[in-house]
Amino acid sequence: MNLPPSVSWHLLRLTALGVLAVLALVAVGCTDDDPSPSDRAEGPLTGICPDPLVIQTDWYPEAEHGSVYHLLDRDHLRIETDTMRVTAPMVSGGEPMGVDLQVRVGGPAIGFQQVAAQMHADRDVVLGFVGTDEAIQTNSRFPTVAVVAPLEISPQMIMWDPETYDVDTIAELPDDTVVNVFGPDAYLDHLVGSGIVDRDQLDGGYTGTPARFVAADGTIAQQGFATAEPYSYERLIDEWGRPVRFQLIHDTGWEVYAQALAARPDAIEDHADCLEQLVPAIQQAIVDYATEPSATNAVISDLADRYDDGWVYEEELADWSVDQQRSLGIVGNGPDDTVGDFDLERVQGVLDTAVPVMEIGHDLTPEDLVTNRFIDPGIGLPSG
């Protein structure tokens, strides 16, 4: 099964984190006394946005989705465990936005459907997580245009044991080093095409568990997320219990915007007035979550527990992940002082790199994939 990038990245981690993390039941605000639309406070989105406003994620709740979950009123969560959805009044900076926000789990909750395809099948979805590579891959059948990028760079990585290989990049690993990966993916073709690894180094048998990496005792490399596996392998996997070293795939030249929030082209026009207000609210949530993540991380951890589908996500991991996102620049401003916007030259670079690898999308331009139309250039993370 050739899963889309956003799903395959996460599927690797389901078993490992689900087995190895310690369940922590987190108390969060959840009440049956939720305000109905008739008595809910009005706000800037009242009457111009769909209510509820639906956002489709690409996986179970995790810190990489934190800016979206940060928009939920934590005191009025309505959790549907069977469909893995959470709905609450939307807030920004503690102020009501005037509509409900519904955040839906992706991956297994939608049959591993690509988010772009799901958005075209279910037109209630206003925004969904679609990375640049997936947007290229699905454009001919399920076009989407990203309107804001919660993550500045992708957290995807290749990791190895620094005690065995004292190197800093994937390319410096010995030519016979096995790289344990999930399976076919465009970024792997990029690594091969760029001469960073040889095709015969790639082993597509990774199941998501740490068993093979641990058993190899440092002689193989493995893919993962820089915002999760380094913590898990050092602190949760007793059989390993030491640091790993890694290189971000972004730093090899595969500079996609991972998990960008995108809409169908027709939805952008239909909901333009909504997006004018919504996108800056999401930008502000990126800043606020990166600055004060703890309460939202409690929600993320609790939702993962309540959905009870094998995905276990500790609050401590979420806290560490946010710190890691900031330190690595995974969350941050672009080349300017604005958070969430797109560098069109970078997107063109992605097209130049990805189209020959994917052998599709030859006529696409950056404007077909992303827009800064709704971005507020005055919202950014503070420097330092």
Side-chain angles (χ1 to χ4, degrees):
M1 178 170 55
N2 188 10
L3 297 175
S6 57
V7 171
S8 63
W9 296 347
H10 294 294
L11 192 57
L12 306 177
R13 302 156 56 205
L14 174 59
T15 305
L17 292 179
V19 170
L20 294 163
V22 178
L23 280 171
L25 182 59
V26 180
V28 297
C30 184
T31 176
D32 294 328
D33 301 325
D34 298 308
S36 66
S38 60
D39 59 15
R40 188 182 55 223
E42 291 193 355
L45 303 187
T46 303
I48 65 168
C49 284
D51 192 1
L53 193 154
V54 178
I55 294 180
Q56 177 67 61
T57 72
D58 58 351
W59 197 243
Y60 295 103
E62 57 186 356
E64 291 83 358
H65 301 162
S67 57
V68 169
Y69 286 101
H70 197 77
L71 292 165
L72 295 167
D73 182 343
R74 294 184 294 274
D75 293 327
H76 297 94
L77 301 177
R78 304 192 296 278
I79 301 169
E80 303 172 45
T81 56
D82 55 341
T83 57
M84 289 190 269
R85 300 174 179 178
V86 59
T87 308
M90 184 177 172
V91 293
S92 178
E95 297 299 318
M97 297 299 288
V99 297
D100 277 356
L101 173 64
Q102 183 175 97
V103 183
R104 299 180 179 180
V105 167
I110 56 173
F112 295 104
Q113 176 89 283
Q114 291 171 307
V115 172
Q118 182 71 10
M119 293 169 66
H120 280 263
D122 185 348
R123 301 182 73 82
D124 288 338
V125 179
V126 175
L127 295 176
F129 284 118
V130 181
T132 315
D133 42 359
E134 183 177 337
I136 296 169
Q137 182 186 62
T138 60
N139 182 268
S140 63
R141 295 184 61 197
F142 308 115
T144 57
V145 178
V147 296
V148 60
L151 303 183
E152 177 63 21
I153 63 177
S154 171
Q156 194 174 25
M157 64 162 185
I158 300 292
M159 69 181 194
W160 59 90
D161 176 24
E163 294 182 7
T164 304
Y165 303 119
D166 186 17
V167 299
D168 295 315
T169 67
I170 303 164
E172 293 175 299
L173 290 168
D175 293 343
D176 59 350
T177 306
V178 171
V179 183
N180 197 25
V181 296
F182 182 68
D185 213 331
Y187 86 90
L188 296 174
D189 292 331
H190 155 70
L191 293 180
V192 172
S194 301
I196 294 170
V197 299
D198 294 329
R199 178 74 64 182
D200 58 10
Q201 287 181 251
L202 301 178
D203 187 326
Y206 186 30
T207 62
T209 74
R212 186 176 180 193
F213 190 85
V214 170
D217 195 27
T219 61
I220 69 170
Q222 185 168 282
Q223 76 170 86
F225 261 28
T227 49
E229 273 78 2
Y231 178 95
S232 299
Y233 275 75
E234 182 174 0
R235 306 187 192 188
L236 299 179
I237 302 173
D238 292 337
E239 295 82 359
W240 185 260
R242 61 186 190 267
V244 296
R245 191 174 296 169
F246 60 86
Q247 183 183 20
L248 293 171
I249 301 301
H250 176 91
D251 292 337
T252 70
W254 190 255
E255 298 184 351
V256 300
Y257 286 95
Q259 298 174 317
L261 280 166
R264 301 181 311 274
D266 63 284
I268 287 179
E269 297 309 319
D270 293 344
H271 301 308
D273 290 344
C274 171
L275 293 170
E276 290 280 0
Q277 302 291 328
L278 175 61
V279 168
I282 295 172
Q283 289 178 269
Q284 190 60 52
I286 298 169
V287 174
D288 294 344
Y289 175 68
T291 305
E292 293 290 342
S294 58
T296 298
N297 284 343
V299 171
I300 289 170
S301 179
D302 187 63
L303 287 172
D305 181 63
R306 289 171 184 261
Y307 292 150
D308 192 25
D309 198 44
W311 180 252
V312 181
Y313 200 78
E314 286 187 326
E315 210 174 329
E316 292 81 1
L317 170 57
D319 291 340
W320 178 89
S321 178
V322 175
D323 289 341
Q324 183 82 328
Q325 290 174 37
R326 290 297 305 275
S327 65
L328 296 177
I330 288 169
V331 168
N333 299 332
D336 46 25
D337 294 324
T338 303
V339 72
D341 61 342
F342 299 94
D343 181 339
L344 296 185
E345 290 185 5
R346 173 177 157 187
V347 176
Q348 182 60 59
V350 173
L351 284 166
D352 294 342
T353 303
V355 167
V357 168
M358 295 182 174
E359 298 182 344
I360 54 175
H362 298 279
D363 297 327
L364 292 175
T365 67
E367 290 79 8
D368 294 321
L369 303 175
V370 304
T371 181
N372 289 320
R373 173 179 172 183
F374 308 106
I375 291 289
D376 183 339
I379 300 176
L381 284 155
S383 59

